Amino acid sequence: MGLEEMEMLLRKVDHTEEEHAKILDLIDLRVPRGSADDEPPLGSLLYAVQGILYPALSFDHVPDLLDILSQVERAREFFQVQAKWTLIWQRFYETRPSPKVRVLGKSDKDAVKKLLKPERLDATRRIFICILEQTIRMHVLYLWTHAEDSYQIHHYLRIYFPWAHGKHGSQRLCNTSLTLEEQARLAEAGMSCFRFMRDAKLWEERRLRDLGVPILPSSYYDDDPGFKTLRFEFIGDLEITDIVGSISVYLKKVQTMAERLGGLLANHVPRPS
């Protein structure tokens, strides 16, 4: 039974025997396996992210970082469902008071509603998708401009864009649970990576011919106007510190949501458990 159907059912004053049985079944409902029961605690995920971000972003662990952030996003979605159920049970017990249940006060109920504002939820999701895209782009740029690591670039491209290598059903969490629109956005990011590599290779070949050397000094990637243009077209003015900052903002939003919801629900309206 979906949330909307259950919400309509709980709003009714009188219930048929069948409807009453559905409510009793819901009270005994367990949270489905494969959701929160199988996920690491949010605190552990936040700690793991911090270990990759600081003191400097570890590019060797970027795929792990994206998978951990995807687990954080799944936790956020679980908290969102909890909040929805909270309001459903709130309405139920407001019309059917029970001495065993304390309903939320108006201010707390408003606080839960605030957590579920569509614009707030959409904004947090957009931050998450933007982080995925920008981190992948930055990783590709890093690999291309660091000769000692550049040999790994195709290995990571197969991880980030398995569809480009004829693989589907990727096991990486960061490639799952995406809407069609989000998949299209990451696919475009993938095409942008391939275009950047093509153009950067042409630029390097020209510079090598011009300089008559077998390999470019690393300073050329920072100083050459031609490469600066390629970089800007690929990733704009984005720096590593910007990505770390975006991740910190996102994690703070999820952590705040979990803490507020946990505080509001303590000893109040039950959730399915």
Side-chain angles (χ1 to χ4, degrees):
M1 179 179 297
L3 282 174
E4 292 183 0
E5 183 182 353
M6 181 54 67
E7 182 177 358
M8 293 178 60
L9 183 60
L10 293 177
R11 283 180 175 177
K12 295 180 62 175
V13 177
D14 298 317
H15 300 96
T16 64
E17 291 186 4
E18 181 181 357
E19 290 171 339
H20 186 66
K22 286 183 178 180
I23 294 175
L24 293 178
D25 289 341
L26 179 62
I27 293 175
D28 294 330
L29 181 68
R30 297 288 300 177
V31 176
R33 298 294 299 177
S35 58
D37 292 345
D38 296 333
E39 298 292 343
L42 179 61
S44 299
L45 297 174
L46 299 180
Y47 182 82
V49 172
Q50 298 299 319
I52 296 175
L53 294 182
Y54 301 102
L57 174 60
S58 173
F59 281 101
D60 290 340
H61 295 91
V62 168
D64 297 324
L65 171 65
L66 298 184
D67 279 348
I68 295 170
L69 290 175
S70 297
Q71 288 180 292
V72 173
E73 178 65 4
R74 285 166 60 164
R76 185 190 69 83
E77 292 172 343
F78 178 72
F79 299 144
Q80 179 180 329
V81 171
Q82 280 187 308
K84 289 181 178 178
W85 277 113
T86 296
L87 294 180
I88 289 174
W89 283 116
Q90 172 80 9
R91 285 189 288 269
F92 180 80
Y93 282 105
E94 281 178 340
T95 57
R96 303 162 182 79
S98 169
K100 298 181 179 180
V101 177
R102 292 174 54 201
V103 295
L104 298 173
K106 184 180 184 305
S107 61
D108 287 344
K109 183 168 65 173
D110 290 342
V112 175
K113 289 181 178 179
K114 185 177 180 180
L115 292 175
L116 291 174
K117 282 188 175 181
E119 59 270 23
R120 182 173 187 156
L121 299 176
D122 291 345
T124 306
R125 179 68 179 184
R126 285 196 300 271
I127 293 174
F128 168 70
I129 297 300
C130 187
I131 287 171
L132 293 185
E133 177 187 350
Q134 291 182 343
T135 304
I136 290 172
R137 287 176 183 264
M138 184 61 73
H139 195 195
V140 169
L141 177 65
Y142 172 86
L143 292 170
W144 191 270
T145 56
H146 288 73
E148 67 276 14
D149 295 316
S150 60
Y151 71 94
Q152 301 182 77
I153 195 166
H154 292 292
H155 165 70
Y156 285 110
L157 288 174
R158 283 193 293 269
I159 292 176
Y160 300 141
F161 311 112
W163 50 266
H165 300 82
K167 295 182 180 180
H168 301 280
S170 170
Q171 298 302 309
R172 307 298 303 206
L173 289 177
C174 59
N175 288 320
T176 62
S177 302
L178 299 176
T179 66
L180 293 177
E181 182 179 352
E182 292 165 351
Q183 291 176 24
R185 176 170 176 173
L186 289 188
E188 174 53 34
M191 295 305 297
S192 179
C193 289
F194 296 129
R195 288 193 296 268
F196 165 75
M197 293 167 57
R198 177 200 63 196
D199 296 341
K201 184 175 185 295
L202 293 174
W203 169 82
E204 286 185 354
E205 291 174 346
R206 287 195 299 269
R207 297 303 292 148
L208 289 172
R209 286 196 303 268
D210 294 342
L211 296 172
V213 296
I215 188 170
L216 291 176
S218 58
S219 60
Y220 264 82
Y221 295 107
D222 296 324
D223 302 332
D224 186 90
F227 191 80
K228 284 184 178 181
T229 298
L230 291 178
R231 185 192 190 284
F232 183 81
E233 292 173 348
F234 176 52
I235 203 168
D237 291 325
L238 193 71
E239 300 291 345
I240 296 174
T241 52
D242 298 321
I243 293 176
V244 172
S246 295
I247 293 174
S248 298
V249 169
Y250 168 75
L251 295 179
K252 184 63 177 178
K253 285 180 176 292
V254 178
Q255 185 177 23
T256 298
M257 181 181 190
E259 291 174 351
R260 288 181 179 174
L261 189 60
L264 291 170
L265 298 188
N267 301 317
H268 281 79
V269 178
R271 61 177 177 83
S273 59

